[in-house]
């Protein structure tokens, strides 16, 4: 089928919620993608920080192949090994409590909201300006963006939006607060790192009031920042956290991970999902988690992140560079349009990147990217500015 025919099908049959770029991808390997014409692209978005292990990582492919021909689904009424092994590995590599598996990021946020409300009945949920936590009703209610929320009112009650200031946060959290939910690095709003002061204030306010501090690591986790989880570099340990995106090595999964204090709050019958932690996806996630938890890989992510930021900072049209590990963004100089630049990068330079706003472009390459790929991406961007 030609691209024109696909666009025809989309126009007629797809609910028009997506603004797609005019490229059809048919194959991926490592940090590279190929379109239907056989043209090769360098992928510095990784499916929005999903392919941290790279496209079609051989260990993920082997794990899926092995499991998909053996057993795909029995429901959570029975035992299967991959799901419980995955829960154990997630706990051991993070907060040490218990794990609820689900199928997406938004679902992980829903589970976190239910956990918080179950721990403190009817408690208020404090979220930050600029946050993105997903598109289902609970997650959307935690995502204070007018354009995303307004058409769908009324939202879930009990959310309070706070400025990204330690004082504002301290003032908002009290004995009626169920949780403070935040991304340690805000992804969709343009890779904005929360300050150490703000995170320390959140920890302190939650300790004093008994509220749960929940980190959304759906985008920042799985090695993206150069440690398996972003919280490891903040000096603050949350009471619970969410993972999704890269957790499945390219397949859909989400997880709520608790620390010990909250590990037995949700009880039998409180929450469930038919597909959650199925054997195929759990096998894929086990493989992806082992790859991303490798200390050598994580060291490389930190080094490559510095290399990428140095290269980006030298581009003539870049005003600011920020990020941690391979979770990076640039703000463009006056007069440059980020969506237009990202589109030209894709179509003219075969470089896959993404604009998070009118002047901001994000870079989230697979963590297995080569140093030469980083240099190549920067060169392609440099050519765009000429
Ligand atoms: C992508 C994302 C979500 C939502 O995940 P979905 O799988 O799209 O539902 C939530 N929080 C953060 C920080 C994200 O980046």
């Amino acid at each position: 089928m030609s691209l024109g025919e696909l666009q025809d099908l989309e126009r007629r049959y797809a609910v028009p919620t997506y603004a797609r770029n005019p490229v059809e991808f048919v194959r991926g390997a490592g940090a590279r993608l190929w379109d239907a014409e056989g043209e090769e692209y360098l992928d510095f978005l990784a499916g929005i920080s999903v392919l941290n292990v790279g496209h079609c990582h051989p260990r993920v492919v082997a794990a899926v192949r092995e499991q998909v021909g053996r057993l795909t689904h029995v429901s959570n009424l029975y035992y299967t090994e991959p799901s419980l092994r995955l829960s154990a590995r997630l706990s051991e590599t993070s907060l040490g409590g218990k794990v609820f598996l689900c199928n997406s990021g938004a679902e992980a946020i829903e589970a976190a909201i239910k956990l918080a409300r179950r721990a403190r009945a009817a408690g208020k949920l404090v979220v930050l300006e600029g946050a993105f936590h997903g598109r289902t009703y609970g997650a959307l209610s935690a995502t204070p963006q007018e354009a995303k929320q307004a058409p769908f009112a009324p939202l879930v009650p009990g959310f309070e939006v706070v400025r990204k200031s330690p004082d504002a946060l301290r003032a908002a959290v009290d004995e009626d607060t169920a949780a403070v939910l935040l991304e340690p690095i805000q992804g969709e709003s343009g890779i904005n790192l929360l300050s150490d002061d703000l995170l320390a204030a959140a920890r302190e306010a939650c300790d004093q009031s008994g509220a749960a501090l929940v980190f959304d690591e759906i985008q920042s986790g799985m090695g993206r920042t150069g440690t398996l989880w972003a919280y490891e570099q903040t000096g603050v340990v949350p009471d619970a956290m969410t993972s999704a995106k890269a957790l499945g090595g390219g397949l859909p999964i989400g997880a709520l991970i608790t620390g010990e204090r909250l590990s037995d709050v949700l009880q039998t019958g409180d929450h469930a999902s038919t597909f959650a932690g199925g054997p195929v996806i759990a096998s894929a996630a086990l493989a992806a988690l082992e790859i991303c938890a490798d200390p050598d890989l994580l060291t490389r992510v930190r080094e490559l992140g510095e290399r990428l930021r140095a290269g980006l900072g030298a581009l003539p049209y870049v005003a600011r560079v920020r990020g941690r590990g391979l979770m990076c963004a640039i703000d463009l100089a006056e007069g440059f349009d980020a969506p237009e630049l990202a589109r030209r990068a894709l179509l003219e330079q075969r470089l896959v990147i993404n604009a998070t706003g009118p002047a901001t472009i994000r870079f989230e390459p697979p963590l297995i990217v080569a140093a030469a790929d980083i240099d190549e991406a920067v060169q392609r961007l440099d050519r765009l500015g000429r």
Side-chain angles (χ1 to χ4, degrees):
M1 238 179 241
S2 70
L3 182 63
E5 286 169 318
L6 290 179
Q7 288 170 326
D8 234 38
L9 287 181
E10 182 192 36
R11 263 191 299 278
R12 272 192 234 171
Y13 298 115
V15 174
T17 53
Y18 299 112
R20 289 181 224 270
N21 287 283
V23 176
E24 181 203 357
F25 287 120
V26 295
R27 190 162 70 85
R32 289 189 158 65
L33 284 165
W34 287 267
D35 70 14
E37 262 91 64
E39 292 287 349
E40 184 180 304
Y41 295 68
L42 202 44
D43 184 3
F44 269 50
L45 182 59
I48 318 183
S49 198
V50 166
L51 276 311
N52 285 15
V53 299
H55 292 277
C56 299
H57 191 290
R59 280 165 63 189
V60 174
V61 171
V64 169
R65 284 216 166 108
E66 209 288 312
Q67 186 61 51
V68 79
R70 178 191 295 272
L71 181 72
T72 59
H73 179 83
V74 291
S75 87
N76 286 301
L77 298 173
Y78 309 96
Y79 287 89
T80 51
E81 186 175 316
S83 114
L84 291 165
R85 279 182 52 211
L86 176 61
S87 297
R89 286 303 290 146
L90 279 170
S91 172
E92 286 162 6
T93 56
S94 64
L95 304 181
K98 294 182 181 175
V99 175
F100 179 84
L101 296 174
C102 52
N103 309 291
S104 70
E107 279 184 43
I109 295 293
E110 298 295 336
I113 293 169
K114 286 183 75 170
L115 171 78
R117 283 262 169 81
R118 194 72 161 93
R120 187 165 267 175
K124 139 184 102 172
L125 293 140
V126 172
V127 296
L128 297 180
E129 268 184 354
F132 179 86
H133 296 294
R135 304 290 204 127
T136 55
Y137 257 98
L140 178 64
S141 304
T143 298
Q145 296 176 39
E146 180 71 10
K148 292 185 174 72
Q149 288 186 336
F152 303 102
L155 299 172
V156 178
F159 286 82
E160 183 175 329
V161 185
V162 172
R163 275 183 302 117
K164 288 190 268 181
S165 113
D167 287 341
L169 191 57
R170 274 189 216 101
V173 178
D174 57 27
E175 269 68 42
D176 296 326
T177 307
V180 174
L181 169 63
L182 58 84
E183 302 154 84
I185 301 176
Q186 293 187 329
E188 297 305 298
S189 76
I191 318 297
N192 292 301
L193 282 75
L194 299 190
S195 71
D196 290 346
D197 286 354
L198 185 62
L199 293 173
R203 184 63 278 174
E204 195 190 295
C206 288
D207 285 342
Q208 279 170 8
S209 64
L213 180 58
V214 182
F215 278 12
D216 178 350
E217 292 240 25
I218 289 168
Q219 193 161 155
S220 60
M222 288 296 283
R224 174 54 59 193
T225 66
T227 43
L228 185 58
W229 308 107
Y231 81 81
E232 296 170 51
Q233 292 175 73
T234 67
V236 169
V237 179
D239 301 307
M241 59 187 255
T242 54
S243 176
K245 286 200 164 85
L247 178 57
L251 297 177
I253 186 170
L256 166 69
I257 308 166
T258 74
E260 265 163 32
R261 183 169 79 79
L262 297 176
S263 64
D264 289 319
V265 169
L266 288 171
Q267 288 292 312
T268 305
D270 276 348
H271 200 34
S273 175
T274 299
F275 286 113
V280 177
I281 180 58
S283 298
L286 267 169
L289 183 58
E290 290 320 317
I291 296 161
C292 291
D294 174 6
D296 294 337
L297 178 90
L298 294 169
T299 303
R300 262 174 50 83
V301 168
R302 294 195 291 275
E303 289 164 4
L304 292 173
E306 275 166 34
R307 189 182 188 105
L308 177 59
R309 282 189 293 282
L312 294 173
L315 293 171
Y317 52 83
V318 170
R320 267 177 307 277
V321 184
R322 61 180 167 273
R324 191 164 275 166
L326 286 171
M327 187 171 187
C328 306
I330 53 176
D331 289 335
L332 302 182
E334 194 93 20
F336 287 90
D337 178 74
E340 172 62 16
L341 197 90
R343 196 182 145 86
R344 285 185 52 219
L346 176 74
L347 300 178
E348 295 171 22
Q349 295 295 327
R350 313 222 182 283
L351 174 66
V352 180
I353 50 177
N354 169 252
T356 61
T360 303
I361 291 183
R362 93 177 117 183
F363 298 85
E364 294 181 324
L367 309 185
I368 49 82
V369 72
D373 294 336
I374 302 255
D375 300 344
E376 173 66 29
V378 171
Q379 273 167 30
R380 292 188 194 186
L381 287 166
D382 189 40
R383 275 181 233 133
L384 274 185
R386 284 162 201 276

